[in-house]
Amino acid sequence: MAKKIRAILVDLSGTLHVDDTVIPGSIEALKKLRETSAKIKFVTNTTKESKRILHERLARIGFSINKEEIFTSLTAARHLIDKRSLRPYMLIADAAKEEFSDINSEKQNAVLVGLAPEYFDYEHMTKAFRILLEGAPLIAIHRARYYKRSDGLALGPGAFVAALEYSTGCKSEAVGKPEASFFHSALEDLGCSATEAVMIGDDARDDVCGAMNAGLHGILVKTGKYRPGDESTVNPKPSYVAENFAQAVDHILSTWLISE
């Protein structure tokens, strides 16, 4: 019996685009998906820019996506900071800091790490190290090992989070993919359960395996950061492996019923 899918979570970078380059067929496939009754949300671990800047980028390269349809790990991090009244020292990119512009940064009592190449130097890392030695929590927006840029693969924030863990003996708390809470939070607004949803992404571990461990179905696409054999390195294995987003959409439409 065909699975009934009501909600589709779609990764952005590496699945629909890489920097300012659209992955071929993605715009047309998204239009096809919107002609169905499926509820769609775009979920991303991207921390190099705010949701506003990301939305402007997507519009500029041709995607018709509402800002409210985007759920980011920055959003999840902000929710955690507000809930715990944290005053973090932030190792995040300047383009992402507007998400936290009104947060009190005096007497810092936490360290927040995202993708911040301009701040991953000895002095900034040492300051974070000293704050953590005082007992402050280490919040990783996500722990991605690497990501895809226009010039090739590049180190993700996970390497720098691991360095701080190693030197301080503390354990980080992640809020983005592959945490189950991230996927469940993204589905809340859609009014769908995990078993009624599928995640499409280019990261076998964080996108697909993370989603499947949270109860969703998972489709891995061979674009972006994908490397041959990635589907064999995770457990559970992807529900389906597609060449690209367009093929993933075709698979959903032909194999999985999208219920009303």
Side-chain angles (χ1 to χ4, degrees), residues 37 39 46 54 62 99 104 152 159 203 222 252:
S37 60
K39 298 179 179 180
T46 296
L54 172 61
E99 300 281 358
N104 183 359
D203 188 312
K222 295 182 178 181
I252 291 172

Side-chain angles (χ1 to χ4, degrees), residues 72-145:
T72 77
S73 53
L74 291 173
T75 303
R78 178 59 195 259
H79 289 169
L80 184 146
I81 288 170
D82 290 343
K83 182 179 180 179
R84 299 188 187 175
S85 300
L86 298 177
R87 302 182 302 277
Y89 174 62
M90 295 185 286
L91 290 173
I92 63 176
D94 290 339
K97 288 184 176 178
E98 67 179 68
E99 300 281 358
F100 309 95
S101 60
D102 58 340
I103 288 180
N104 183 359
S105 60
E106 298 178 359
K107 297 181 179 179
Q108 293 153 336
N109 62 357
V111 172
L112 179 69
V113 182
L115 181 62
E118 63 268 46
Y119 294 112
F120 288 149
D121 57 47
Y122 188 80
E123 292 306 323
H124 286 98
M125 292 288 285
T126 295
K127 181 173 181 179
F129 163 76
R130 290 172 177 171
I131 294 171
L132 294 172
L133 285 183
E134 296 298 318
L138 173 58
I139 309 299
I141 300 180
H142 63 86
R143 290 190 283 246
R145 295 165 294 172

Side-chain angles (χ1 to χ4, degrees), residues 106-247:
E106 298 178 359
K107 297 181 179 179
Q108 293 153 336
N109 62 357
V111 172
L112 179 69
V113 182
L115 181 62
E118 63 268 46
Y119 294 112
F120 288 149
D121 57 47
Y122 188 80
E123 292 306 323
H124 286 98
M125 292 288 285
T126 295
K127 181 173 181 179
F129 163 76
R130 290 172 177 171
I131 294 171
L132 294 172
L133 285 183
E134 296 298 318
L138 173 58
I139 309 299
I141 300 180
H142 63 86
R143 290 190 283 246
R145 295 165 294 172
Y146 52 88
Y147 69 104
K148 181 67 178 291
R149 298 191 314 200
S150 58
D151 62 346
L153 295 178
L155 275 177
F160 302 93
V161 171
L164 291 171
E165 289 179 324
Y166 174 78
S167 294
T168 63
C170 72
K171 179 67 177 176
S172 66
E173 177 179 356
V175 295
K177 296 179 287 185
E179 303 305 310
S181 58
F182 178 87
F183 296 103
H184 293 160
S185 295
L187 288 173
E188 279 180 9
D189 293 341
L190 302 182
C192 297
S193 67
T195 57
E196 300 173 305
V198 60
M199 172 73 205
I200 305 173
D202 67 318
D203 188 312
R205 185 176 68 103
D206 290 354
D207 290 335
V208 179
C209 188
M212 295 181 73
N213 282 329
L216 293 78
H217 307 287
I219 296 180
L220 178 65
V221 293
K222 295 182 178 181
T223 53
K225 70 193 301 183
Y226 172 84
R227 302 183 73 189
D230 277 355
E231 60 270 33
S232 299
T233 66
V234 295
N235 186 27
K237 298 290 190 293
S239 305
Y240 182 71
V241 180
E243 291 297 322
N244 49 40
F245 178 68
Q247 189 178 95

Side-chain angles (χ1 to χ4, degrees), residues 2-21:
K3 302 176 179 69
K4 289 187 176 181
I5 298 297
R6 297 179 57 227
I8 301 173
L9 303 185
V10 183
D11 178 46
L12 288 170
S13 178
T15 300
L16 298 185
H17 71 102
V18 174
D19 292 336
D20 285 342
T21 300

